[in-house]
Amino acid sequence: ARFEPNEPAMIERAQENAAGKEAIGRAAADLVEDGMVVFLDSGTTTLAVAHALNTRQNLTICTASLPIALHMCHLPSVRVHILGGEIDPAEAAAVGVDVLDAIARFRVDIAFLGGGALSSDGEVTDFTRAGAEQRSRMILAARKAYFVLDKSKFGKLTPLRVPNFERATGVIVDAPPAASIVKALARKGPKLLVAEEM
């Protein structure tokens, strides 16, 4: 496995495996019911989730992502809260302490989280302390939290563990990971959901 200390910019990741991300987006949207409060993490796969939510009614969306907020604020029956802070240009999203503070104010029904990699130990890992901490807090804050990861993230090595990962509800992927990763994930606890490509 290749060790990757830094994440490529969002713009570079946007074209990578678009069909897989769309499939994940649809599978994630199927878990969302009208009227829910939904947290959408920043990233290209969570942006695919945002696009798949177009048919839901009366949603409240919380996000630190500028592209997600911009897309969802134009939908007729969606209220959007943007979690503020300094904008990371590579992610097109707010990051840092202000976002962590804002997360605590919301009662979230379901959260969709990005991640750096699905490691060979069956854990989602991350690139930055801020990212890992934000995702960890969201796992604890939301009634249900799902990681959304496409197959390009399988078996990669990124430096940081996401605390409380084992308390996440599930991991939604676009293809089955290696059997050893599936076994390791099953031991950790979160459910594995493999999305169908259309």
Side-chain angles (χ1 to χ4, degrees):
R2 200 163 80 247
F3 178 72
E4 302 199 7
N6 298 303
E7 184 163 38
M10 178 154 176
I11 206 133
E12 290 168 37
R13 302 186 329 256
Q15 301 313 315
E16 200 178 301
N17 191 18
K21 289 172 185 178
E22 269 173 43
I24 291 170
R26 285 190 301 273
D30 285 346
L31 301 168
V32 176
E33 291 162 27
D34 292 351
M36 278 186 165
V37 179
V38 182
F39 176 82
L40 290 175
D41 204 353
S42 61
T44 53
T45 310
T46 44
L47 183 57
V49 178
H51 283 279
L53 287 172
N54 286 356
T55 57
R56 295 291 179 277
Q57 302 294 308
N58 303 321
L59 294 183
T60 300
I61 301 292
C62 307
T63 188
S65 160
L66 299 178
I68 289 174
L70 200 56
H71 170 69
M72 301 224 67
C73 74
H74 295 298
L75 299 178
S77 63
V78 175
R79 294 174 64 193
V80 177
H81 292 268
I82 191 146
L83 310 180
E86 185 176 353
I87 301 297
D88 172 354
E91 267 305 289
V95 293
V97 179
D98 297 319
V99 177
L100 295 179
D101 286 348
I103 281 173
R105 293 189 203 111
F106 288 93
R107 184 199 64 72
V108 175
D109 293 304
I110 193 163
F112 296 104
L113 306 174
L118 180 60
S119 76
S120 52
D121 305 334
E123 271 194 354
V124 174
T125 61
D126 220 327
F127 288 99
T128 64
R129 275 287 314 278
E133 182 61 26
Q134 183 180 314
R135 286 156 180 156
S136 169
R137 290 208 196 176
M138 206 64 238
I139 292 169
L140 299 180
R143 237 170 28 140
K144 291 186 169 172
Y146 290 88
F147 282 90
V148 290
L149 296 176
D150 82 299
K151 58 182 177 257
S152 72
K153 306 269 176 99
F154 296 173
K156 279 188 179 173
L157 299 171
T158 64
L160 290 151
R161 300 184 62 217
V162 176
N164 306 304
F165 166 71
E166 60 289 342
R167 295 177 64 171
T169 312
V171 180
I172 307 173
V173 296
D174 60 327
S180 57
I181 295 181
V182 174
K183 277 204 194 82
L185 178 61
R187 279 199 301 273
K188 294 276 192 294
K191 286 201 302 279
L192 181 69
L193 289 85
V194 181
E196 300 276 318
E197 283 193 35
M198 281 164 104

